[in-house]
Structures are given as structure tokens and as C-alpha cells.
């Protein structure tokens, strides 16, 4: 990605997209319980608690879910989550370098504004393709699995079908605008911060281009991203999970939150958001760098003539 030595050959687009999709799936599997806890905390206060259940903190939420719904509840929506990452991360992360080069005409050392523009572009493109998978994922994560409580959906494909039949195509792309806004912020902050931190570490010879460098860069990117993107993320989650007619628009959802719950509502689930995004970034970027290198080594071996 960034920090390549002059002698390094940039990996082809297919390798970067495949590496990004695979790495994002690995990161999702590892951190999905934290993401589910984040969603439950973000929608808390939107409606009355089910059977008196109230979530307190990320680990309290996870503990409550295991106790009341079983361990499997932490992975509600995982199938849709993996579907999302396969098409979402491969575009927003895999295309980032190529779009950045497109905007600079192939020049080295692009400025911060170019990096931000590239992040916004790939983030918006990814949401346009992957929005239905995100809607289904969020709704599954918000769904409480208790005896006597009606379930909205029983399976991933049934959820896509049910949403289409009852809400139309607009239902599958519900929340696209706040999601594009959120992912433009996330993509810009995440990729640009990772870019800049990694370049600084390598430029000052603090570390070599290896796992510790990737770890530090990813951790920093995760923290900065959470601070900037949390308000939009909460609105996105609430709006996508809402039944038809609850909110007129994403802006109406944000205004309702502000007037009924106050400004702190926009940072509900901040700790799980950071734990999830920080750990997700670490697992994803470290996996991405290693998978990409392994694919390049394999590609070179295959191409070497006998």
C-alpha cells in the first residue's frame, strides 16, 4: 500500500482487491461481537427495552447478550457482514491506491487533499454496491433472540426478500446517504491516517515496514476514525434499523436524537466503536499487508519460467 521501497513492484489491482476483501472478512470474524454490542448500544433509547433488558457498556452488553440470548447472538448478521466486506472492502481499500494515482496522474508523494479525495471516492463507490448487505447486517444485529419475542427475519436471504417485498428497492438501499457520509469520513480518516502514520514511521526510520509498523499505524487510524465518524455512525445505525415511517429522513433521525436524547446520543457506543474499529483496523491492515505479500510471492513463483 504505502511506504513501498523503490525496488518494490506495486501489486496489480486484482491482488489488492482480493487481499482487501479477504483481510476484511478475517477482521469481521474476529471483531464481530464488538460490532454487535456497538449496534445494541447505539439503538438503546430508541424504543422500550425488551423484557426489561438494558445494556451497560461494551462488555456488559456482551455478557447480557450471552446470558439472555446465548453466545450465537453475538454473531447475528455475520453472513451479511461477510458478504458486505467481500464487495465493500475490496472496493474502498483495494481501489484506493489506483484512484489516488489517477488523481495525481501517477506522481509520487500525493498531498493530503488528494488522499482525502481518493478515500471519499472509493468509500462512496463501495457503499453504492454494498448498501443492501449493510442494511441486513444491522437489522440482524439489532434483532433480539428471546422466547416470546417476534423475530423480524429468520435467515439472510429471507431478510433480503422480505425487505424487498415490503419496502421495495428503497428499503434495501435505506440509509445510503448517511452511510456514504459515514464511509466517506471513515475511509478518508482510516486510509489517510494509516498512510500518513506509516509514511512518518518509515520516513524517520522508527521501524521497518513490518508487522509492528502496521500495528501502530492501524491502531492510530482506528482511534482517529472513531472520534470523527461516531456521530454519523449512530445516525446511520438508527435509521437503517428503523421500521418504515419512524423517521422521515436521516436528517430527521439526527434531529429526533438531538431533541429527545441530547448531544451525547451521537456518541452512544463510543467505547465499543473504538474497541471494534481499533481492533478491526489492526487485524485488517496486518492481514491485508501479509496476504498481499503472500499473493505477490505466489504470483512471482508462478510466473518464473521452468
Amino acid at each position: 500500500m504505502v511506504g513501498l521501497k523503490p525496488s518494490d513492484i506495486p501489486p496489480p489491482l486484482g491482488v489488492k482487491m482480493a487481499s482487501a476483501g479477504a483481510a476484511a472478512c478475517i477482521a469481521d470474524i474476529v471483531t464481530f461481537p464488538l460490532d454487535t454490542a456497538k449496534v445494541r448500544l447505539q439503538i438503546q433509547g430508541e424504543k422500550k427495552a425488551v423484557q426489561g433488558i438494558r445494556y451497560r457498556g461494551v462488555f456488559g452488553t456482551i455478557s447480557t447478550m450471552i446470558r439472555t440470548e446465548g453466545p450465537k447472538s453475538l454473531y447475528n448478521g455475520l453472513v451479511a457482514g461477510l458478504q458486505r466486506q467481500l464487495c465493500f472492502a475490496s472496493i474502498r481499500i483495494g481501489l484506493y491506491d489506483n484512484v489516488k494515482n489517477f488523481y495525481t496522474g501517477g506522481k509520487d508523494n500525493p498531498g493530503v487533499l488528494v488522499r482525502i479525495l481518493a478515500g471519499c471516492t472509493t468509500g462512496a463507490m463501495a457503499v453504492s454496491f454494498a448498501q443492501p448487505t449493510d442494511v441486513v447486517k444491522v437489522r440482524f444485529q439489532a434483532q433480539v433472540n428471546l422466547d416470546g419475542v417476534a423475530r423480524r427475519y429468520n435467515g439472510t436471504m429471507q431478510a433480503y426478500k422480505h425487505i424487498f417485498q415490503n419496502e421495495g428497492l428503497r428499503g434495501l438501499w435505506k440509509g445510503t446517504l448517511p452511510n456514504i457520509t459515514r464511509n466517506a469520513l471513515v475511509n478518508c480518516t482510516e486510509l489517510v491516517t494509516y498512510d500518513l502514520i506509516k509514511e512518518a514511521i518509515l520516513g524517520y526510520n522508527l521501524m521497518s515496514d513490518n508487522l509492528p509498523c502496521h500495528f501502530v499505524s492501524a491502531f492510530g487510524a482506528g482511534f482517529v476514525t472513531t472520534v470523527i465518524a461516531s456521530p454519523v455512525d449512530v445516525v446511520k445505525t438508527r435509521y437503517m434499523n428503523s421500521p418504515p415511517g419512524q423517521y422521515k429522513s436521516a436528517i430527521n433521525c439526527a434531529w429526533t436524537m438531538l431533541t429527545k436524547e441530547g448531544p451525547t446520543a451521537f456518541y452512544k457506543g463510543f467505547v465499543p466503536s473504538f474497541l471494534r474499529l481499533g481492533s478491526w483496523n489492526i487485524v485488517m491492515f496486518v492481514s491485508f499487508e501479509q496476504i498481499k505479500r503472500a499473493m505477490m510471492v505466489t504470483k512471482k513463483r508462478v510466473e518464473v519460467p521452468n
Side-chain angles (χ1 to χ4, degrees):
M1 193 165 173
V2 295
L4 292 173
K5 299 174 183 178
S7 58
D8 288 334
I9 300 173
L13 179 60
V15 169
K16 286 189 284 189
M17 292 185 71
S19 301
C25 285
I26 293 171
D28 246 30
I29 291 170
V30 173
T31 64
F32 208 79
L34 292 171
D35 192 41
T36 303
K38 178 201 75 171
V39 169
R40 292 291 179 95
L41 285 167
Q42 286 178 335
I43 64 171
Q44 185 163 259
E46 186 179 39
K47 51 189 177 182
K48 292 181 180 179
V50 178
Q51 296 184 6
I53 295 174
R54 186 159 186 82
Y55 305 115
R56 300 182 185 279
V58 56
F59 297 111
T61 300
I62 291 174
S63 175
T64 299
M65 289 181 65
I66 292 174
R67 178 168 46 84
T68 58
E69 303 174 54
K72 288 177 64 177
S73 64
L74 297 174
Y75 283 90
N76 279 350
L78 178 62
V79 174
L82 296 180
Q83 291 171 348
R84 173 179 179 266
Q85 293 300 351
L86 283 172
C87 55
F88 182 73
S90 59
I91 293 172
R92 79 174 184 92
I93 297 171
L95 284 178
Y96 173 70
D97 281 340
N98 291 71
V99 172
K100 187 171 61 176
N101 291 334
F102 171 78
Y103 285 136
T104 60
K107 296 178 182 178
D108 293 330
N109 301 317
V112 174
L113 289 178
V114 171
R115 299 172 199 248
I116 291 174
L117 182 59
C120 287
T121 301
T122 59
M125 288 171 61
V127 171
S128 299
F129 282 103
Q131 183 67 8
T133 62
D134 206 8
V135 171
V136 171
K137 178 184 80 77
V138 166
R139 292 193 183 187
F140 262 105
Q141 288 176 311
Q143 181 171 269
V144 177
N145 299 321
L146 291 174
D147 292 336
V149 177
R151 299 182 65 182
R152 292 174 80 178
Y153 313 110
N154 296 312
T156 304
M157 300 312 296
Q158 184 264 336
Y160 287 117
K161 182 179 178 181
H162 183 275
I163 294 171
F164 176 72
Q165 289 177 337
N166 290 273
E167 302 174 47
L169 282 174
R170 291 183 64 181
L172 289 171
W173 266 268
K174 188 174 185 177
T176 299
L177 181 59
N179 210 13
I180 285 177
T181 306
R182 185 253 182 192
N183 278 290
L185 288 172
V186 167
N187 221 36
C188 291
T189 312
E190 188 177 83
L191 296 177
V192 173
T193 305
Y194 182 84
D195 247 357
L196 295 175
I197 293 174
K198 186 178 175 185
E199 281 186 358
I201 290 173
L202 297 175
Y204 287 101
N205 294 317
L206 301 175
M207 298 177 186
S208 58
D209 188 3
N210 54 21
L211 196 146
C213 172
H214 305 156
F215 180 94
V216 173
S217 303
F219 183 86
F223 178 76
V224 175
T225 303
T226 306
V227 171
I228 293 176
S230 270
V232 181
D233 190 33
V234 175
V235 173
K236 179 212 78 167
T237 299
R238 292 251 184 131
Y239 186 60
M240 288 199 304
N241 183 59
S242 64
Q246 183 171 353
Y247 302 115
K248 295 178 182 177
S249 64
I251 295 174
N252 174 249
C253 177
W255 179 251
T256 302
M257 287 172 57
L258 180 64
T259 54
K260 289 189 175 181
E261 301 173 57
T264 56
F266 293 99
Y267 279 92
K268 276 193 172 183
F270 179 83
V271 173
S273 288
F274 171 60
L275 289 175
R276 192 262 175 181
L277 200 51
S279 57
W280 191 92
N281 268 277
I282 291 168
V283 176
M284 195 286 296
F285 277 116
V286 169
S287 300
F288 177 51
E289 300 276 9
Q290 303 310 311
I291 293 172
K292 186 170 62 176
R293 288 181 180 181
M295 291 182 71
M296 284 299 290
V297 170
T298 304
K299 183 175 182 292
K300 288 176 182 178
R301 286 177 180 172
V302 171
E303 290 177 348
V304 171
N306 294 327

